Amino acid sequence: MSGAVFYIFGATGDLAKRKLFPAFYSLYREGKLGDDFAVVGLARRPRTNEQFRDDVKNSIQDFARYKNKDGAEWEKFAEHFEYMSLDINNVAGFHELNALTAKLDTKYQTGGNRLFYLALAPELFGNVSYNLKEGGLLNTQGWHRLVIEKPFGYDLPSAERLNGQLRQVFEEKDIYRIDHYLGKEMVQNIEFVRFANAFFEPLWNNKYIANIQITLSETVGVEERGGYYDHSGALRDMGQNHMLQMLMMMAMEPPSRLHPEDIRDEKVKVLRSLRLFENGDDVRANVIRGQYASGTAKGKALPAYREEDSVNPQSTTETYFAARVHVDNFRWAGVPFYIRTGKRLPVKTTEVVVEFKNIPNNVYLAKKHELEPNLLVFRVNPMEGIYLKMNAKQPGSEGVIVPVAMDFCQSCQIGINTPEAYERLLYDATRGDSTYFTRWDEVALAWSYVDRIAAAWNEQTEDLKHYPAGSWGPEEAAKLLTDDGFKWWPINGQNEGEVDWEAVQKTTVLA
Ligand SMILES: NC(=O)C1=CN([C@@H]2O[C@H](COP(=O)(O)OP(=O)(O)OC[C@H]3O[C@@H](n4cnc5c(N)ncnc54)[C@H](OP(=O)(O)O)[C@@H]3O)[C@@H](O)[C@H]2O)C=CC1
Ligand SMILES: O=C1O[C@H](COP(=O)(O)O)[C@@H](O)[C@H](O)[C@H]1O
């Protein structure tokens, strides 16, 4: 990497501690940062450089893939970190920051390259970018990139306002909007599996695929984020970004080149093809929302959402939603995409299931047997891998057909040491590769899709269902599929479905 100064705005916050410092350390240990870099931590509270380096060290001990094993290496790494107390709203502080950076530019031969990471509450994003310009931090020769966290706005109008503020200072090509799901190994793998395998791409259409199911389930509640979450809800927190991004990866056409803009062009076309809900009734027929009530998980009593800290006791914010989504283009016409996400569900998992259509039922095997459909499952999180379920003769039987699985468990083979999403994204931003960041038109289209749902929900709240914490959400979500002759496929054997995945015979593990 060519030299650069990295600025972490919000360096005393949770994201910096849990994700960013560990990501820097992994990249450093892997030689991806080189030695010509400085990291400047910025936040209001006072910290000496030594205290800040201790914060970084503690975060690495707690959260990094590489632990702080080697004292000499740690010391070398820590020297790259500096701290400056700064209030985002104070322009004078930015002039001071510029003076500090000039020294770092010389020390590390950065060529004026600067990456500004905003790990801050979104309402501060606009001010930072304006003050960066005012403070002279963009007056150098090298590249200047702005990495911003989600949420990018609350709805389309607020996202447009924010984008307008950022664009007064940065060009679109220099704005890296994070969606950390795009940094996940298996989400990135979707396009490789699709486009690098002769036996998938020909089947990847409405002739052979019956439906696609995307599940992002979480066992946690809102934890300490009640204040943010109660104004957001599952649709904005997970639907507008991570879920639609995964849907785009599944549905996009092959890009003509593996160039970031070509890939993002194809993703945007998927968003443009989403069938928009026409009115409130249409939303209610296709989107189910829920909120967790008290319940139990693993014998532990769990509070209701309305009892969580910083949550309105009468809140109607959804902690769960499931939707039937249609992509109205030639490839996907008639294939429903079912998406669901929720907090306080029984397992933490992210999975995408592709259910293939059954073989014609007049051929002899299907006449004699109840055949299960073939499934291709992308296991994104926490297990990483690909699972293919098919039918085969039970060994030793007289033609008994059983479901068997080809299970490529990536996390079993590579272990838990696969790079974390933030590592990949940070590395990509340092290299100027924006493929796995979201472009403005993606963000805007995703908001306009989600805003229609939110508007219908605002009209009335009677359709909000309460589900016990620790359950799979409102029963109505099952009906979305049963009405179409489908069902949610079990997640890691934990669903109330009939198939016991552990019992499914594992025939082959690919090397
Ligand atoms: N935490 C997470 O897991 C995730 C977070 N995000 C996003 O990342 C961003 C940061 O989240 P998170 O780290 O959790 O938030 P925190 O509340 O933990 O941290 C906020 C940071 O901003 C600083 N800050 C607040 N006001 C100012 C100000 N006026 N001037 C300078 N610094 C200020 C705080 O430091 P101080 O008080 O010292 O000024 C603190 O370092 C948010 O946009 C969030 O949505 C996204 C995905 C996951
Ligand atoms: O962006 C968010 O994602 C997390 C879930 O991320 P994961 O990588 O652990 O699957 C979610 O808990 C949080 O509410 C949301 O803001």
Side-chain angles (χ1 to χ4, degrees):
M1 190 199 80
S2 55
V5 178
F6 297 88
Y7 303 79
I8 303 182
F9 290 89
T12 54
D14 180 69
L15 185 74
K17 178 176 70 181
R18 289 195 305 112
K19 300 292 183 187
L20 303 184
F21 301 147
F24 273 107
Y25 192 54
S26 297
L27 294 180
Y28 180 73
R29 289 284 297 256
E30 289 170 5
K32 290 176 176 163
L33 285 180
D35 277 316
D36 294 330
F37 73 94
V39 180
V40 183
L42 299 146
R44 285 167 306 182
R45 71 196 79 166
R47 280 268 185 288
T48 62
N49 280 346
E50 285 64 38
Q51 284 170 326
F52 181 52
R53 288 170 189 171
D54 279 346
D55 292 345
V56 175
K57 188 174 194 172
N58 292 336
S59 125
I60 285 162
Q61 301 283 20
D62 292 346
F63 300 107
R65 289 196 291 128
Y66 296 98
K67 297 297 172 198
N68 171 23
K69 293 191 188 104
D70 175 345
E73 189 167 33
W74 162 257
E75 293 303 329
K76 247 177 96 199
F77 172 70
E79 276 173 18
H80 294 265
F81 283 72
E82 309 253 340
Y83 183 83
M84 187 184 137
S85 171
L86 171 111
D87 188 329
I88 297 308
N89 305 307
N90 171 17
V91 190
F94 284 79
H95 288 288
E96 248 180 76
L97 179 61
N98 198 24
L100 167 71
T101 312
K103 290 188 202 139
L104 296 172
D105 279 338
T106 312
K107 181 171 173 188
Y108 293 111
Q109 302 285 299
T110 67
N113 296 332
R114 294 170 179 193
L115 186 143
F116 306 99
Y117 198 118
L118 308 195
L120 293 165
E123 51 277 16
L124 298 172
F125 293 167
N127 271 5
V128 181
S129 65
Y130 180 77
N131 286 341
L132 285 173
K133 189 174 167 197
E134 285 299 296
L137 280 128
L138 307 180
N139 297 340
T140 53
Q141 285 294 319
W143 46 257
H144 305 126
R145 297 180 189 139
L146 185 71
V147 180
I148 40 180
E149 270 299 335
K150 60 164 280 229
F152 198 89
Y154 171 81
D155 53 12
L156 182 57
S158 58
E160 280 173 336
R161 272 195 303 280
L162 170 57
N163 201 51
Q165 291 172 330
L166 301 181
R167 287 300 313 279
Q168 283 178 14
V169 180
F170 289 90
E171 289 180 47
E172 172 64 28
K173 71 172 180 48
D174 294 322
I175 302 176
Y176 291 70
R177 299 179 192 82
I178 291 253
D179 183 313
H180 78 276
Y181 267 67
L182 289 179
K184 288 185 189 273
E185 183 67 38
M186 288 307 298
V187 173
Q188 296 192 355
N189 210 352
I190 291 172
E191 63 182 313
F192 290 90
V193 170
R194 280 189 56 190
F195 302 137
N197 289 298
F199 55 81
F200 285 134
E201 194 45 34
L203 306 183
W204 212 260
N205 55 53
N206 57 5
K207 197 163 170 211
Y208 297 102
I209 291 180
N211 70 77
I212 292 182
Q213 305 177 11
I214 302 176
T215 299
L216 274 67
S217 67
E218 297 191 89
T219 49
V220 291
V222 288
E223 314 296 292
E224 297 85 34
R225 297 169 71 218
Y228 150 75
Y229 195 87
D230 208 31
H231 289 104
S232 163
L235 180 67
R236 292 186 173 91
D237 185 48
M238 301 287 269
Q240 186 271 346
N241 37 69
H242 311 321
M243 303 203 76
L244 286 180
Q245 284 294 335
M246 288 175 65
L247 188 148
M248 285 184 251
M249 301 292 275
M250 293 300 290
M252 68 191 249
E253 295 298 316
S256 48
R257 293 171 308 166
L258 279 181
H259 187 274
E261 295 315 321
D262 294 303
I263 295 172
R264 300 198 295 186
D265 286 347
E266 295 306 334
K267 284 168 63 193
V268 162
K269 285 184 202 159
V270 175
L271 288 178
R272 289 208 191 103
S273 309
L274 292 182
R275 187 184 304 170
L276 298 178
F277 298 112
E278 285 175 11
N279 50 40
D281 288 342
D282 198 14
V283 167
R284 284 179 279 279
N286 288 287
V287 190
I288 305 298
R289 60 172 156 163
Q291 186 191 80
Y292 62 82
S294 58
T296 52
K298 297 187 177 150
K300 199 175 143 217
L302 299 169
Y305 174 69
R306 289 175 176 179
E307 293 159 3
E308 301 274 18
D309 281 350
S310 312
V311 168
N312 174 354
Q314 271 95 46
S315 173
T316 54
T317 299
E318 79 290 352
T319 58
Y320 174 101
F321 84 94
R324 176 172 36 215
V325 178
H326 283 280
V327 180
D328 283 337
N329 61 20
F330 271 94
R331 188 185 283 265
W332 296 113
V335 180
F337 287 70
Y338 303 104
I339 62 178
R340 62 175 167 171
T341 185
K343 296 213 181 269
R344 289 281 188 234
L345 301 187
V347 279
K348 165 73 182 167
T349 198
T350 301
E351 281 195 9
V352 183
V353 179
V354 181
E355 177 177 334
F356 289 89
K357 289 187 172 169
N358 285 328
I359 58 167
N361 64 7
N362 58 353
V363 301
Y364 80 107
L365 280 177
K367 250 186 189 169
K368 281 177 37 187
H369 300 272
E370 280 284 308
L371 296 182
E372 292 275 343
N374 294 149
L375 303 181
L376 168 67
V377 181
F378 291 90
R379 286 178 164 169
V380 174
N381 190 15
M383 291 273 290
E384 291 178 352
I386 297 163
Y387 195 94
L388 194 55
K389 195 186 113 198
M390 54 200 192
N391 297 305
K393 178 176 161 291
Q394 189 175 48
S397 75
E398 296 291 325
V400 174
I401 294 185
V402 287
V404 296
M406 292 174 77
D407 190 355
F408 164 52
C409 173
Q410 183 160 282
S411 37
C412 309
Q413 293 184 17
I414 300 172
I416 52 163
N417 211 24
T418 57
E420 224 270 336
Y422 276 89
E423 278 171 57
R424 271 200 211 88
L425 295 175
L426 188 59
Y427 185 51
D428 286 352
T430 62
R431 294 182 303 154
D433 182 347
S434 53
T435 309
Y436 295 111
F437 295 83
T438 51
R439 205 168 62 184
W440 165 242
D441 48 355
E442 291 176 69
V443 176
L445 284 162
W447 275 126
S448 46
Y449 185 73
V450 158
D451 281 354
R452 285 178 177 240
I453 302 174
W457 284 352
N458 274 344
E459 285 166 15
Q460 52 144 295
T461 53
E462 286 93 83
D463 60 315
L464 178 75
K465 310 288 174 200
H466 291 273
Y467 60 95
S471 74
W472 271 104
E475 284 164 9
E476 287 76 1
K479 201 167 170 299
L480 279 181
L481 283 80
T482 50
D483 282 353
D484 299 339
F486 303 125
K487 64 180 179 187
W488 290 109
W489 286 97
I491 297 293
N492 292 328
Q494 304 268 340
N495 218 355
E496 52 282 277
E498 305 78 44
V499 179
D500 176 359
W501 285 92
E502 296 308 313
V504 171
Q505 201 177 337
K506 295 188 178 176
T507 48
T508 316
V509 175
L510 305 174

